[in-house]
Structures are given as C-alpha cells and as structure tokens.
Amino acid sequence: MKKHSTLPEQYMKKEKILADFRLANLSRNLSIIGRREVLSGKAKFGIFGDGKEIVQIAMAKQFRDGDWRSGYYRDQTWMMAMDLYDSLEFFHQLYGNTDRRINPGSGGRVFNNHFSVPNINSDGTWLDLMKQKNSSADISPTAGQMPRLLGLAYASKLFRQNKELHGFTTLSNKGNEVAFGSIGDASTSEGHFWETMNAAGVLQVPAAISVYDDGYGISVPKVYQTTKGSISDILKGFEAEPGRPGILIFRGKGWDYPGLIKLYEEGISVCRKDHIPVLFHIDEVTQPLGHSTSGSHERYKSEERLKWEEEFDPIKKMRVWIINEGIASAEELDGIAADAEAEAKESRRKGWEMFQNPIKVERDALVRIINERSCRCQEESRESSVDKIAEDLMRIIAPIRKDNFMAARKILRNICETCSKSGNLMEELHGWLKRNYADASSSYDRFLYNETSTSALNVKPIAPVYSENSPEVPGRQILRDNYDKLFSKYPLLVTFGEDTGKIGGVNQSLEGLQKKYGELRITDTGIREATILGQGIGLALRGMRPIAEIQYLDYLMYALQLLSDDLATTHYRTVGRMIAPLIISTRGHRLEGIWHSGSPMSMLINSVRGIYVCAPRDMTQAAGFYNTLLEGNDPAIVIEPLNGYRLKERMPDNIGEFRIPLGIPEVMNVGSDLTIVTYGSTVRIAAEAVKQLELHDISVELIDVQTLIPFDSHGIILDSIRKTNRALFLDEDLPGGTTAFMLQELLEKQGGWNYLDSPPKTLTAKEHRPAYTTDGDYLSKPNAEDVFDTVYAMMKEAVPAKY
Ligand SMILES: Cc1ncc(C[n+]2csc(CCOP(=O)(O)OP(=O)(O)O)c2C)c(N)n1
Ligand SMILES: [Mg+2]
C-alpha cells in the first residue's frame, strides 16, 4: 500500500474518501436517471449537477454551521454533502411533488435543484441560524444569486465589527460565517457578477465565490462570454496587494479531488478569518449530460471536446486517484458505484410512487363517484359520455391532478339537470371538486405574504399624537427624528445607500445620525442599486433589519429584476420557510425632469407582488409605515414623496412610536358628490382642487389609499362610492397604470360597479416622461386645475341643470 501523502491527515481517512466517492456516484446517477425521467415524459424539466460533483464535495468540507450558501442549479452534490438534500428529495423536486412535508425546499413551485433551508419556524419566529447550515433559496435567472451573496457576507462583517451585536448568538458567532456562492462561467458575463465582485472588494466581506468553468453557457462557448476566455485572468486587477485591499483568487481543476480539498481549505480559512472575499476559478469542469433536458450538447460541442470531457470526468479521475493512492481497490470502488446506482434507482421508484399515489387515490375516488351513480340519463352528450370521460381518465398511465380536474369539470357540465337522481351525483362531484381543487390550489397559492402572527398586517396601529405645542417642522425632520428613535430602539437596524451616511441622505432625512450611531449602521455605498438591494436581501435573510435606500424611485429600475425575481418570491418559492423582511426606502413622484420625477407605480406593483408597497403622502405617514414595518416581518417598499421634505408638518409627540396600518385608506375630506381616490404626491394636489370645487358647490370625498399593496383591505373606497356614486382615480403614473389597477379593485373585487351612477374616470400623467421645468411638470403631470376640470365635467354630465 502506498503511503497517504497527498492530503493532510484529516482528509485521508479511507471511509470518508469512499463516502465522497459514493456520493459523487450517487449524484451522477441521479443526474442520469433524472434526465431519463424527463425524456420519457414523467417529469417536465431537469437541470443537473453532473461534472461538478468533486468540486462541490471539496467545498462542502469547509462549510460550517452558521455559514450561508447562495448558489445555482448545479449544486445538488454540495447540498447532499451537507446533508441538506437526499436522493429521494431529488425526485420529489423533479416531479414537482407539492407535499411540503416531503418536498419542503420548494413544494413543487420551482425547477429541480433549486434549494432552500428555512430561516423561520412555522409560527414565523426566527430559527437558531447558528445550529444549521444555511442556504438561501435559488432563483433561475443567471447571476441573480450574486447580489444576495454580497448581503449574506456583509452580515458577517456587521456582526463582527459592531460589538453591540455580539449577543445575537442565534444569528451569528461574531461574524465568523462565510457566505459561499457558486456561479457558472458564462453567467460571469452578467452585470450582477461584476457589481458584486467590486462591492465585495470594497466592503471586504467573507464571500467565497466558486466559478464552475465548464466552458459553455448552454451552447455558447467562453470565447463569446469572457474577455481572454478566463475569468480569473481578467479579475486580476481586483486582487489584493500590500496596503491595497481587494480579493484573493484561487485556481483549481474540476477533476482534482485532493487539489480541490487543499484549495478550499486554504481559501476558506483566510476568507473566514480575515474577511477577505475569495474567488475560486474552477477550470476544466465537464458537463457530461449537456446543459439541461432541453437539448443535447452533441449539437454544439466538437468531437474533440466531447472526448476530452469523457477523459476528464471528475469521478473517473477520482477513482484513478483512489486506486493509485492505494486507498481502495477497483473492485471495492465498483461495488460502491453499484450501491450508489441502486440507491438512485430505488429513490426514483419510491419518489414516483409517492408522487403518483395521492393523485391516483384522488382519481379513484372521482371514478368511484361516477361508476356508482344512480342517474344514467343523458349518457351521450355534446362532448362525450360520462362513462367515456371516466374511462379515458383511468386509461392515463401517469395521471396528474389536471387530468382529474378536467374530467370532473367536464362531467359536471354533462350531467342531466332534470333527473331526480342526478342531485346526488352533482352534489358528490361538487364536493370532490371543491375539496381537491382547494387543496391543489393552496399548494400553489399560499405564502405570497407572511401568513403568521409576525405579519406586518397584524401590527397594532398607533395614531400620531399632537398637542397644542407640537411644532411645525420640515418633513425631513420628522423622518430624521423618527429614525433617531428607531436606531436607538432596534440594535439590528441598519440603513445604507448612496449618500446615506456622511451627509445623511440627499434630503437630509438622516442628518447627523451617522455621527451618533456609527458608520456600520448608517452607511454610504457605491452607486450600485442592484447590489444595494442584494445587500439588503442577504442581511434580512440573516435576521438583521436592513433599510436599503435607493436614491430615487427612477433608479429602482436597476434593482427591479432582483426585487421581482428574488425578494418578491423569497417567501413564496420557499413555501413560507424563508423570510427576508427588507425595507426599501426610496423617493419619487415629483421633482424635476425625466429621471427625477418618475412615478412608475404600475411597473412596480405589477412586478413585486409578494412585497408590500407603501405610497405615503407626507413624511409623517412615511415614518408611520417604517414604524409599523419594523414591528412586523415582511419585505416592503416605502416611497417618500419627493416634494415633501421641505414642506412643513406637525411633529407628533409620539415620534418613533406611532404606526400607520397597511391597507387602510384614509378619508381626507368627507364629501357627498364624488369620490377622488389617490395616493402619494397627488393627495396634496387633489386637496387643493377639492377646496376649489367646494366654491363651486361640489362636495368631494377625498381618499388617500396610502398603500397600494395591500389595497384597501376593508372596502373603505366602496363605502364612499355607496354614498357618492361617482369615482375619479388620480395619480402620476401612466394612463392605464395604477389608476386602472385601483379601478379594477373597486369594480371587480369590491363590486363597486353596482353603485356607480356615472362612468368612473381616471386622471393620470401623460404617456411621455415628465418634462423639465415647472411648465414641463405642469403639462406632463396632473395638476389641481386638471382635477377641477375633470370633476366639474363629470358633475356637469351627471347633473346638467346644475353645472
Ligand atoms: C438572465 C438569464 N438569462 C438567460 C437564462 C437562460 N440560461 C439558463 S442557464 C444559461 C447558461 C448558464 O451558463 P453558465 O453560467 O456557464 O452555467 P452552466 O449552466 O454552464 O453551469 C442560460 C443562458 C437565464 N436563466 N437567466
Ligand atoms: Mg458553463
């Protein structure tokens, strides 16, 4: 036997090495079988980690309790190596099993190999994140995992450097946690990757990013993806130098088991200890099965490449290494490989059975109802006979719930309506459908928002209190004094953004607070909206209370992809297991010109369902929303009205304490002729018009909806319409934008059409972007005169004799 010399002692234990070999083989077999399951039609889509097994096993060895992962769809071996995933769950994911008890990571809502580990209990309270290995939930958009990774790593920095946080031992052990990231070579072409690398270098956070370089992004080779064809070469300028902090770069080969183990041990230890971001460029990685089940790689890889991939298959190479090292014989290894293959096959069998059985039970119950019916009339109908529909259903070899529901609904409309015996059948079918359909729908519909007692919707409102001497101050001071209270009350609260720190924000709403609370809590960032958002998502996942500041609403577009794909879906795609209660603070609606006056609220509300959207009319309301949100556990956006920082508001006596409830509109003016529904900066404009209209004998009820999501949970608008019978929806969004949304809420959800005596109207900004200068604003956005004229015209049409 050869002496074990290639690796430090702790890694050379035979049983461990053989367990690694078995895991690599198990993972490979899962990929192979998984692909077949899709190609044979049993599963819809599959994407697998073949070729990336060994690097992930090496990486997992350095992953400790409390650490975090932000990876992508190739990471099945890594997850299994950390005991966070197994061969049976692999098939539950592949088939899309919606039983949360057995497919907890995603409940069948997302593609396979998209993982998650809970950060909250089912009652919404935080888990002890230090007693588990943590994985943020994967998303499919390439490089989308990177900004979040920055935040996960940044949390370690805050937990280490802010000594006041050392007591939060269920969230961090003084910041010793590494955030591990993985990404494909081609996805490094995305802006998110570069923004994250730069920010990580600036912030000096313990992010450990592995690039699996298999040379392709689907069919497109590296030559079209990466300058000079090497991500580590072109990142050289980011590398740390004496006295110039940066990142560290490590290079490894995807098939080199001992080399990778040593590489990760070295890289992760410095990353953990010194909080230096590290990049592992893992080259010579293969993809034996091609990109995914969507096609075959023979279409675009040369013969030579395919041959090379076979030769450099990491499992083959590991096998040779084990034999050469004298750790085990070829026969022993073959036995292990066979055993791994058997497990994969058994898991497929079990997984398929577990997927199919409940559906078949449901189907059999349906067919029994049909077969045992007493009504036999109308056997032949327009579509098909009842028996035929049932027979066809039974003939489906691998039924899905859709088949059952389609059959039941078709039968329902084919049952005779006259026969006295049909009552039973109809009732039973309806019962079956109601039960099963509700159950199936809830598999997909629940958990868009926090459903536990920690929901912001359960936070008890507290009204602002005023006394005789409550002073009138500029709106920004309300925010500032409110923040002051919040920062002393919540130790986990931090805020960060462009110009947020030293000068306290472009509108001075944090003036002087950095001095008081320190740079770690009120922090300037680079101009990088996507990673400001990612920074917030990562912090929120780790139990901190971040407020990420996006300087202007117009610039939220840089972060919109992540808001929509990542933050808005965090709770949903993890079937309620994870929460990221990030607050995004921004300001918008009205200032100056095309890029500082935007109010693209429909763009927002239509892409961020899953996040609450608050559109306060002034800074008191804005402060009240922050106060509410910090008492709850939900992600939310607060859009401060840009033109309100200097306008005077009365300072509430209970600053920092009052809480404005979400989803409850406020009636600003009681009226009887017509209701104006609006929010944000147009509340002030509407109020002005309401005064002018009063002089003309028109009594307007003015409603500020306050939050767009949730929207008027108690039907306050409907109550008003019942009285006035006329509605105008007003805002600064585009025609057909948020006003259309509000109109639909009233007409369809609240049933308001019943009470309308005039056609409802919308008044919005023009279709073009808001032009420069006061005249540009006046002629681009709705103004008080527009509101006056619109309301007057509506009244004139309704009561021509009077107006
Ligand atoms: C933003 C975005 N664009 C395109 C896609 C489609 N897509 C999925 S994977 C992929 C290639 C990724 O290649 P690479 O990063 O090298 O990872 P690999 O699959 O090779 O491991 C593409 C283009 C996507 N998911 N997201
Ligand atoms: Mg690739």
Side-chain angles (χ1 to χ4, degrees):
M1 259 229 190
K2 240 166 117 186
K3 207 161 169 280
H4 299 159
S5 55
T6 22
L7 274 171
E9 189 94 9
Q10 75 203 86
Y11 299 113
M12 285 306 283
K13 301 211 166 70
K14 176 173 176 176
E15 78 219 51
K16 269 197 181 168
I17 293 168
L18 296 190
D20 287 348
F21 182 72
R22 186 183 185 282
L23 173 59
N25 275 277
L26 173 63
S27 180
R28 177 65 60 84
N29 276 289
L30 292 174
S31 301
I32 294 168
I33 296 172
R35 183 175 170 83
R36 273 192 221 131
E37 291 298 272
V38 176
L39 298 186
S40 68
K42 280 161 76 186
K44 270 224 121 163
F45 174 76
I47 192 147
F48 307 109
D50 46 295
K52 280 95 184 162
E53 295 92 351
I54 302 302
V55 51
Q56 293 178 23
I57 286 171
M59 179 162 40
K61 289 184 191 299
Q62 304 305 324
F63 201 101
R64 294 190 193 159
D65 282 356
D67 284 349
W68 280 80
R69 167 184 171 274
S70 184
Y72 79 120
Y73 50 78
R74 300 284 181 213
D75 289 338
Q76 70 198 48
T77 318
W78 182 8
M79 290 297 287
M80 288 197 282
M82 299 193 294
D83 282 333
L84 296 174
Y85 192 53
D86 62 25
S87 55
L88 192 53
E89 200 178 335
F90 174 93
F91 287 103
H92 294 329
Q93 282 196 353
L94 192 68
Y95 301 134
N97 198 316
T98 53
D99 186 340
R100 288 199 290 139
R101 289 161 304 184
I102 57 172
N103 189 15
S106 68
R109 293 178 175 195
V110 293
F111 283 172
N112 75 312
N113 280 340
H114 287 52
F115 313 97
S116 77
V117 170
N119 64 354
I120 51 171
N121 292 299
S122 55
D123 65 359
T125 54
W126 285 90
L127 279 161
D128 185 340
L129 304 179
M130 293 306 296
K131 289 221 172 92
Q132 60 180 26
K133 296 183 167 67
N134 298 287
S135 174
S136 59
D138 297 27
I139 59 176
S140 298
T142 52
Q145 70 274 34
M146 294 299 291
R148 178 190 337 128
L149 176 72
L150 180 75
L152 293 170
Y154 183 63
S156 290
K157 175 174 171 158
L158 294 181
F159 280 118
R160 180 177 286 183
Q161 295 192 7
N162 181 355
K163 300 219 161 34
E164 281 171 31
L165 301 184
H166 286 186
F168 289 91
T169 53
T170 59
L171 302 179
S172 174
N173 173 21
K174 296 181 185 148
N176 286 336
E177 304 78 32
V178 170
F180 289 72
S182 66
I183 186 166
D185 55 314
S187 300
T188 65
S189 310
E190 293 277 14
H192 285 342
F193 174 81
W194 292 95
E195 200 177 303
T196 303
M197 292 312 300
N198 180 49
V202 168
L203 292 172
Q204 292 293 290
V205 291
I209 299 131
S210 295
V211 180
Y212 308 149
D213 189 347
D214 60 13
Y216 290 83
I218 308 187
S219 65
V220 182
K222 252 192 305 198
V223 63
Y224 295 115
Q225 303 280 3
T226 309
T227 307
K228 299 181 180 175
S230 165
I231 193 66
S232 53
D233 280 358
I234 58 172
L235 276 169
K236 269 188 187 140
F238 283 66
E239 269 186 299
E241 296 166 33
R244 300 182 77 196
I247 69 167
L248 299 179
I249 297 176
F250 294 82
R251 292 182 182 82
K253 311 275 182 214
W255 46 265
D256 179 8
Y257 175 78
L260 289 168
I261 289 177
K262 282 188 280 190
L263 191 79
Y264 276 101
E265 185 181 47
E266 189 189 343
I268 297 299
S269 76
V270 49
C271 179
R272 193 184 299 281
K273 190 166 131 296
D274 301 331
H275 277 194
I276 301 178
V278 292
L279 179 110
F280 298 92
H281 180 192
I282 309 303
D283 206 355
E284 299 189 19
V285 174
T286 68
Q287 196 187 70
L289 299 171
H291 174 74
S292 71
T293 52
S294 303
S296 71
H297 59 159
E298 285 81 9
R299 289 174 301 161
Y300 49 80
K301 283 180 188 164
S302 65
E303 290 249 322
E304 202 186 352
R305 171 77 194 183
L306 289 167
K307 235 175 94 200
W308 176 86
E309 289 204 11
E310 234 187 278
E311 194 184 328
F312 281 78
D313 186 304
I315 300 181
K316 269 192 199 164
K317 288 271 181 196
M318 184 183 183
R319 186 176 187 278
V320 170
W321 176 80
I322 293 173
I323 294 167
N324 286 348
E325 287 286 324
I327 299 164
S329 66
E331 292 72 39
E332 229 175 317
L333 294 180
D334 290 344
I336 291 169
D339 180 54
E341 187 182 347
E343 179 187 327
K345 284 184 172 157
E346 174 58 10
S347 290
R348 170 190 39 193
R349 189 193 63 74
K350 248 184 163 160
W352 180 245
E353 209 176 274
M354 289 166 89
F355 175 64
Q356 281 283 280
N357 278 356
I359 299 174
K360 287 187 173 160
V361 167
E362 207 169 278
R363 177 193 65 180
D364 293 349
L366 172 67
V367 171
R368 210 173 310 119
I369 292 171
I370 296 157
N371 289 344
E372 290 171 7
R373 74 190 190 278
S374 42
C375 163
R376 296 274 158 185
C377 326
Q378 212 166 327
E379 293 291 300
E380 290 304 323
S381 75
R382 256 166 278 180
E383 291 180 71
S384 183
S385 83
V386 167
D387 287 317
K388 174 87 174 33
I389 296 171
E391 271 163 33
D392 287 349
L393 179 61
M394 284 307 284
R395 226 173 269 135
I396 298 172
I397 295 165
I400 55 174
R401 297 184 99 178
K402 180 183 168 196
D403 298 318
N404 295 346
F405 293 135
M406 284 189 346
R409 294 168 95 175
K410 268 191 194 157
I411 288 170
L412 260 176
R413 60 185 190 226
N414 281 306
I415 296 176
C416 78
E417 285 169 21
T418 47
C419 165
S420 59
K421 292 176 191 161
S422 70
N424 251 354
L425 175 59
M426 186 91 81
E427 212 170 278
E428 281 186 56
L429 273 179
H430 271 302
W432 179 94
L433 191 60
K434 203 171 155 205
R435 265 191 322 275
N436 293 300
Y437 206 81
D439 176 59
S441 298
S442 84
S443 304
Y444 297 114
D445 296 344
R446 286 189 64 193
F447 303 114
L448 183 55
Y449 301 96
N450 183 356
E451 296 175 10
T452 72
S453 60
T454 69
S455 160
L457 303 185
N458 294 326
V459 173
K460 238 180 104 202
I462 300 174
V465 175
Y466 300 99
S467 54
E468 258 176 51
N469 348 327
S470 300
E472 290 229 320
V473 297
R476 70 168 190 91
Q477 272 187 40
I478 306 247
L479 286 173
R480 187 198 59 190
D481 292 4
N482 197 68
Y483 272 129
D484 194 358
K485 292 273 188 211
L486 296 180
F487 275 96
S488 66
K489 185 169 169 188
Y490 299 104
L492 291 166
L493 175 64
V494 290
T495 187
F496 46 88
E498 297 151 18
D499 304 292
T500 300
K502 196 166 183 140
I503 64 165
V506 281
N507 295 89
Q508 305 276 282
S509 47
L510 290 146
E511 186 196 15
L513 297 184
Q514 188 186 66
K515 238 191 188 135
K516 186 164 174 185
Y517 295 100
E519 280 183 43
L520 290 171
R521 300 195 62 196
I522 294 149
T523 312
D524 281 320
T525 67
I527 307 177
R528 46 174 183 77
E529 286 77 10
T531 46
I532 289 174
L533 185 74
Q535 208 169 323
I537 297 173
L539 289 179
L541 286 169
R542 290 192 61 180
M544 292 210 55
R545 290 315 306 252
I547 299 182
E549 200 193 282
I550 301 291
Q551 201 158 70
Y552 295 104
L553 178 55
D554 300 81
Y555 307 138
L556 196 59
M557 273 195 250
Y558 278 73
L560 189 64
Q561 182 264 320
L562 290 166
L563 266 176
S564 183
D565 288 333
D566 195 354
L567 185 63
T569 67
T570 297
H571 200 59
Y572 177 79
R573 72 184 191 268
T574 63
V575 273
R577 301 210 307 171
M578 297 196 97
I579 198 122
L582 166 64
I583 299 171
I584 296 120
S585 169
T586 186
R587 48 191 72 88
H589 306 314
R590 219 171 255 241
L591 185 69
E592 205 54 74
I594 298 185
W595 297 283
H596 296 83
S597 302
S599 190
M601 300 302 291
S602 52
M603 171 195 85
L604 202 56
I605 59 174
N606 288 324
S607 45
V608 303
R609 299 297 164 89
I611 299 175
Y612 291 136
V613 179
C614 307
R617 64 177 176 272
D618 60 24
M619 302 314 168
T620 308
Q621 302 304 103
F625 286 135
Y626 293 125
N627 299 346
T628 300
L629 291 166
L630 283 168
E631 282 296 301
N633 240 3
D634 300 83
I637 302 172
V638 179
I639 297 137
E640 297 167 4
L642 246 175
N643 56 3
Y645 292 98
R646 273 182 258 161
L647 295 176
K648 294 269 174 84
E649 295 176 33
R650 286 175 81 202
M651 173 74 77
D653 296 348
N654 55 347
I655 191 82
E657 299 294 335
F658 64 95
R659 302 174 195 149
I660 310 291
L662 308 188
I664 314 291
E666 188 174 333
V667 179
M668 307 286 300
N669 192 65
V670 176
S672 54
D673 291 328
L674 182 144
T675 303
I676 295 181
V677 181
T678 188
Y679 60 90
S681 295
T682 40
V683 173
R684 208 183 303 276
I685 285 158
E688 180 56 38
V690 167
K691 272 193 242 152
Q692 296 170 14
L693 285 158
E694 256 166 34
L695 302 176
H696 291 257
D697 232 5
I698 294 175
S699 161
V700 174
E701 183 133 308
L702 175 58
I703 296 182
D704 175 6
V705 300
Q706 307 215 79
T707 61
L708 292 166
I709 302 174
F711 187 83
D712 188 13
S713 325
H714 298 338
I716 287 173
I717 300 171
L718 182 68
D719 287 345
S720 177
I721 303 302
R722 275 197 175 118
K723 188 171 61 168
T724 63
N725 312 115
R726 275 176 266 281
L728 170 66
F729 291 90
L730 165 71
D731 74 359
E732 305 182 19
D733 198 359
L734 299 174
T738 305
T739 49
F741 162 77
M742 296 194 288
L743 184 59
Q744 184 253 352
E745 288 275 334
L746 173 71
L747 295 185
E748 280 187 18
K749 287 206 187 151
Q750 302 189 351
W753 61 275
N754 254 328
Y755 302 97
L756 290 172
D757 289 346
S758 296
K761 280 199 94 73
T762 62
L763 177 59
T764 66
K766 302 265 181 68
E767 272 189 319
H768 56 72
R769 301 283 287 264
Y772 177 53
T773 73
T774 304
D775 281 349
D777 171 79
Y778 189 83
L779 293 159
S780 302
K781 296 236 174 179
N783 52 59
E785 287 68 45
D786 292 336
V787 177
F788 181 98
D789 292 347
T790 308
V791 171
Y792 198 89
M794 285 173 79
M795 293 308 299
K796 192 174 167 68
E797 198 190 350
V799 199
K802 189 167 174 194
Y803 300 102

